[in-house]
Amino acid sequence: MNKRDVIVIGAGAAGLFCAAQAGQRGRNVEVLDHAKKVGRKILMSGGGRCNFTNMYTGPENFLSANPHYCKSALNQYTQWDFIGLVNDYNIAYHEKTLGQLFCDDSASQIVDLLLNECRKANATVTTRCEILQIEKHEEGFYLNTSLGEYQCESLVIATGGLSMPKLGATPFGYKVAEQFGLNVLPTRAGLVPFTLPPELKEPLAAISGISQPVRTACNNTDFLEDLLITHRGLSGPAVLQISSYWEGGEVSIDLSPQEDIHERLNTAKENQPNITLKTFLGTCFAKRLAETLIDVMAMPNVPLKQLNQKQLTDIARQLHHWQVKPSGTEGYRTAEVTLGGVNTDGLSSKTMEAKQVPGLFFIGEVVDVTGWLGGYNFQWAWSSGWVAGQHA
Ligand code: FAD
């Protein structure tokens, strides 16, 4: 029987960071993970450069049934604390856009940082370990695993969500929550591309690769970022962001958020009455996008002088309020995160401990706290991991 003060299940961002914190308090800690390699999502993240936090992180950048839950952890361990740690390791980084901080060199530097912090804290990290059963007794938790039996006082669940099963994602954390009587909210894929009905998918697939700054909106939320047309549907940051708010129905896309198309159309009609709508739209968008928009929006491709005011208004409205009804999303296969999860009602926001099960903690993505695209999800992993690490 291996006896530990703390066992953390899941050697991802939240689990490794939590283990290092608990170890630094003098707790005897072991992290168990079923995968061959630790931190696989970190290694894949940010195109291999890991968008490890966001300078402007605040509770408003997270989705949760209880939007207040994340506040305490984000205040206890802030983005500036993590940036300080990255500085201590001399990891070079840059702001890409909108406060998003990326490593200059490689995401593996963040994994190395975490493993080094664990080493300094004498926290053991064990991979290829299947957890077969968990029981709670008076003295603590008993774990039956493929590597033998473990006993611990505190058990931290950091097994993440369902996104990207090929990177080791499993519903394990939700099952543990349910085993101990915690409520698990329905899950769905977030930060995920949209798929489209055939009548839109086919014409758009022909121009895949084109990107356009847009404003996407649904459910009283909007994002001003880039849209990317792919051979499967719509992607790019503007789409990934709004996908987390999408619950079926239409998404409104403003294809020209910075410039009033109606005004431009009126000026063009006055100065160049003989140019066609296609030629005009080719001055606003990439030419192939302009052609495709005329087709999919069934616009009259005639010289501007032939368009009356109502037609000009309609064309501008279609371009500023393109109503797209996705047929779905690409699902967990490509989603960056999982929305929903362990209901925060059953957890203490100050410690991450289950209110009814002393010694049991839930951190990171397994909890019903999901960040926007832009480094917020890792910041939640660091903040929630740090907090649990002070109490486990
Ligand atoms: P995870 O990192 O998913 O770690 C969970 C760990 O638990 C894994 O090691 C897994 O093997 C282990 N595990 C799972 N089930 C079991 C089990 N049954 N038994 C034992 N172990 C188990 N967020 C950002 O903020 N910035 C980014 O740049 C960014 N890029 C991303 C890119 C991709 C491709 C993806 C998929 C996600 C990205 N994210 C990004 C989101 C971010 O990676 C996650 O929110 C974050 O990793 C969650 O941390 P976690 O520790 O809770 O879970």
Side-chain angles (χ1 to χ4, degrees):
M1 172 81 74
N2 294 291
K3 282 196 176 179
R4 300 284 186 189
D5 297 330
V6 182
I7 286 186
V8 179
I9 307 182
L16 290 173
F17 200 53
C18 173
Q21 304 314 315
Q24 281 166 27
R25 282 171 45 233
R27 301 284 274 165
N28 177 354
V29 185
E30 182 157 350
V31 188
L32 305 176
D33 199 297
H34 68 159
K36 285 186 217 149
K37 229 170 142 177
V38 304
R40 287 184 71 196
K41 273 195 196 163
I42 304 173
L43 294 170
M44 284 277 293
S45 68
R49 292 222 159 81
C50 186
N51 177 194
F52 56 82
T53 192
N54 192 297
M55 291 199 288
Y56 309 122
T57 304
E60 63 282 3
N61 307 118
F62 294 85
L63 293 90
S64 171
N66 175 1
H68 304 292
Y69 181 79
C70 63
K71 287 182 180 170
S72 174
L74 293 175
N75 278 332
Q76 290 186 63
Y77 189 84
T78 70
Q79 61 272 37
W80 304 109
D81 293 319
F82 194 76
I83 293 167
L85 184 62
V86 170
N87 286 333
D88 290 345
Y89 277 80
N90 291 319
I91 297 173
Y93 59 86
H94 60 279
E95 179 188 359
K96 195 167 171 196
T97 172
L98 304 168
Q100 303 169 6
L101 300 186
F102 286 74
C103 298
D104 286 356
D105 296 328
S106 166
S108 63
Q109 293 172 294
I110 299 294
V111 175
D112 292 345
L113 174 158
L114 295 169
L115 289 177
N116 199 51
E117 286 292 292
C118 284
R119 223 171 287 125
K120 265 169 43 190
N122 290 321
T124 309
V125 180
T126 304
T127 52
R128 299 173 193 253
C129 177
E130 296 288 339
I131 318 300
L132 305 172
Q133 205 182 359
I134 301 174
E135 280 176 18
K136 186 168 185 345
H137 297 264
E138 257 178 33
E139 323 80 77
F141 297 87
Y142 283 85
L143 274 62
N144 185 12
T145 80
S146 56
L147 300 181
E149 294 194 346
Y150 285 83
Q151 190 194 333
C152 59
E153 275 173 29
S154 296
L155 180 63
V156 182
I157 307 298
T159 45
L162 298 172
S163 15
M164 298 227 177
K166 68 170 194 264
L167 295 183
T170 71
F172 180 86
Y174 309 133
K175 290 188 179 150
V176 176
E178 280 166 353
Q179 178 189 341
F180 288 98
L182 279 94
N183 178 23
V184 177
L185 295 172
T187 57
R188 65 191 165 86
L191 301 181
V192 63
F194 285 139
T195 53
L196 297 171
E199 64 276 13
L200 258 188
K201 182 185 164 185
E202 278 156 28
L204 289 178
I207 56 163
S208 68
I210 288 186
S211 123
Q212 170 74 19
V214 302
R215 185 188 301 279
T216 48
C218 74
N219 286 329
N220 301 319
T221 308
D222 64 275
F223 291 95
L224 185 63
E225 294 211 45
D226 285 351
L227 166 109
L228 175 69
I229 295 170
T230 73
H231 59 280
R232 287 195 295 264
L234 298 179
S235 187
V239 166
L240 300 183
Q241 296 280 35
I242 206 70
S243 72
S244 295
Y245 289 84
W246 183 70
E247 292 168 354
E250 287 183 341
V251 175
S252 179
I253 303 177
D254 181 349
L255 289 159
S256 178
Q258 319 278 23
E259 269 193 291
D260 186 338
I261 293 277
H262 196 245
E263 216 174 281
R264 281 188 69 172
L265 265 170
N266 272 326
T267 313
K269 185 179 169 183
E270 217 173 288
N271 299 337
Q272 301 163 283
N274 293 318
I275 63 164
T276 60
L277 182 64
K278 186 161 94 183
T279 307
F280 165 77
L281 289 182
T283 66
C284 308
F285 307 107
K287 279 206 173 56
R288 290 192 312 141
L289 175 59
E291 283 166 18
T292 307
L293 289 173
I294 288 184
D295 283 350
V296 300
M297 294 181 179
M299 290 175 176
N301 183 26
V302 293
L304 298 185
K305 66 182 178 199
Q306 292 179 22
L307 296 170
N308 61 32
Q309 262 315 314
K310 182 180 175 305
Q311 286 173 307
L312 294 183
T313 309
D314 279 352
I315 290 165
R317 185 186 40 76
Q318 279 175 289
L319 293 167
H320 283 298
H321 304 275
W322 185 25
Q323 300 299 308
V324 174
K325 189 163 192 278
S327 51
T329 71
E330 289 186 7
Y332 295 118
R333 190 178 60 80
T334 60
E336 282 198 16
V337 286
T338 304
L339 292 144
V342 179
N343 193 336
T344 59
D345 279 1
L347 305 174
S348 157
S349 63
K350 308 260 176 326
T351 63
M352 308 286 127
E353 190 172 15
K355 288 174 185 165
Q356 306 299 332
V357 192
L360 180 63
F361 296 75
F362 290 85
I363 57 172
E365 200 180 312
V366 72
V367 179
D368 170 37
V369 173
T370 307
W372 289 359
L373 185 78
Y376 303 103
N377 286 295
F378 280 135
Q379 186 56 46
W380 171 245
W382 317 135
S383 295
S384 60
W386 187 90
V387 167
Q390 310 308 309
H391 299 275

